[in-house]
């Protein structure tokens, strides 16, 4: 199996789907170093310097990276393209295995990492134009131990979807109290004050990435594409004008 030594492999997690991206260097399921991209700066200008900082540290310490994992969406259209292109380039140029994971699942994995008591979590992100990206996750299903990984485990859970704000608000009203919330403030409404904070979403990318690697589910660089889950504003406008 590809992931026989997954606990020992050093891997790079990249997340660029939100307002500010992040990168993380991990060994198995442990965080070696993580960096959030500077807020207020475009991902296109800030991602490369942060990656170079991590890679230079690896060179100095003679650490070899054996895997790249990337959040492939849903999320920001521009951020997704930048992150996916970067991961494809690294995977192809350095001949590294490449893994793609869902961005909302990565947020959930980060929250589970940062909040050990949380067992069930609903993530909600503002998808703009009156829509919300959302998904509900359970710790034992999303981040089981590597040696307990179910055959049907996936880094792209079926619970992730895009809803109108009306549909989302109805779901939020029915959300059980024992399900924690995380994500953007706007869609969480009255539950915004109880949302769980998270440190670095690239950590969640790495946690899911190493499980996907262990399961032998890899992506060829040329096959990697962003998962938008919804058309862009320009595409929606074009449809309306037909």
């Amino acid at each position: 199996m590809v992931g026989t030594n997954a606990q020992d492999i050093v891997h790079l997690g990249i997340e660029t789907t939100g307002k500010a991206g992040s990168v993380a260097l991990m060994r198995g399921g442990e965080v070696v170093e993580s960096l959030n991209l500077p807020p207020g700066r475009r991902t296109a200008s800030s991602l490369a310097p942060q990656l170079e900082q991590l890679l230079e540290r690896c060179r100095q310490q003679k650490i070899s990276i054996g895997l790249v994992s990337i959040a492939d969406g849903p999320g920001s259209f521009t951020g997704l393209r930048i992150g996916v292109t970067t991961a494809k380039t690294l995977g192809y140029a350095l001949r590294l295995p490449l893994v793609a994971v869902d961005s909302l699942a990565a947020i959930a994995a980060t929250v589970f990492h940062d909040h050990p008591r949380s067992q069930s979590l609903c993530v909600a992100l503002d998808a703009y134009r009156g829509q919300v990206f959302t998904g509900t996750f359970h710790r034992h299903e999303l981040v089981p131990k590597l040696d307990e990984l179910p055959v049907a485990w996936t880094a792209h859970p079926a619970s992730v979807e895009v809803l109108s704000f009306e549909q989302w608000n109805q779901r939020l009203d029915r959300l059980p109290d024992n399900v924690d919330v995380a994500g953007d403030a706007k869609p969480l409404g009255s539950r915004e004050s109880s949302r769980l904070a998270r440190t670095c979403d690239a950590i969640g990318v790495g946690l899911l990435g190493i499980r996907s690697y262990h399961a032998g589910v890899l992506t060829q660089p040329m096959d990697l594409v962003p998962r938008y889950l919804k058309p862009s504003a320009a595409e929606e406008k074009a449809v309306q004008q037909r």
Side-chain angles (χ1 to χ4, degrees), residues 12-13 16 18 29 37 39 57 63-64 71 75 82 85 91 104 118 120 122 136 140 145 152 163-164 166-167 200-201:
L12 177 67
T16 60
L37 303 189
R57 205 153 290 154
I63 296 174
S64 297
I82 293 170
T85 299
L104 272 76
S118 179
S120 296
C122 181
T136 299
H140 70 281
K145 295 179 180 179
L163 301 176
S164 68
E166 181 179 358
Q167 293 171 317
C200 176
D201 291 339

Side-chain angles (χ1 to χ4, degrees), residues 19-93:
K19 295 179 181 178
S22 55
V23 293
L25 189 66
M26 306 183 68
R27 185 185 298 275
E30 301 298 320
V31 181
V32 176
E33 184 173 357
S34 63
L35 296 170
N36 287 305
L37 303 189
R41 289 183 57 187
R42 291 182 177 274
T43 303
S45 63
S46 59
L47 178 59
Q50 299 290 58
L51 281 175
E52 176 58 27
Q53 183 176 330
L54 282 184
L55 295 175
E56 176 59 29
R57 205 153 290 154
C58 288
R59 287 192 287 268
Q60 292 175 353
Q61 298 178 19
K62 296 182 179 180
I63 296 174
S64 297
I65 295 176
L67 173 69
V68 175
S69 50
I70 175 71
D72 64 353
S76 161
F77 282 76
T78 301
L80 278 172
R81 289 194 292 270
I82 293 170
V84 164
T85 299
T86 300
K88 291 173 71 165
T89 301
L90 288 171
Y92 182 78

Side-chain angles (χ1 to χ4, degrees), residues 24 37 39 53 62 73-74 92 101 161 184 211 234-236:
L37 303 189
Q53 183 176 330
K62 296 182 179 180
Y92 182 78
V101 309
E161 58 186 329
D184 293 336
R211 285 165 171 79
E235 289 171 331
E236 288 183 349

Side-chain angles (χ1 to χ4, degrees), residues 9-14 65-70 83 86-88 90-91 94 96-100 205 209 213 218-219:
I9 193 170
V10 176
H11 54 115
L12 177 67
I14 303 173
I65 295 176
L67 173 69
V68 175
S69 50
I70 175 71
T86 300
K88 291 173 71 165
L90 288 171
L94 302 179
L96 293 174
L98 182 64
V99 169
V205 174
Y213 175 85
L218 307 179
T219 301

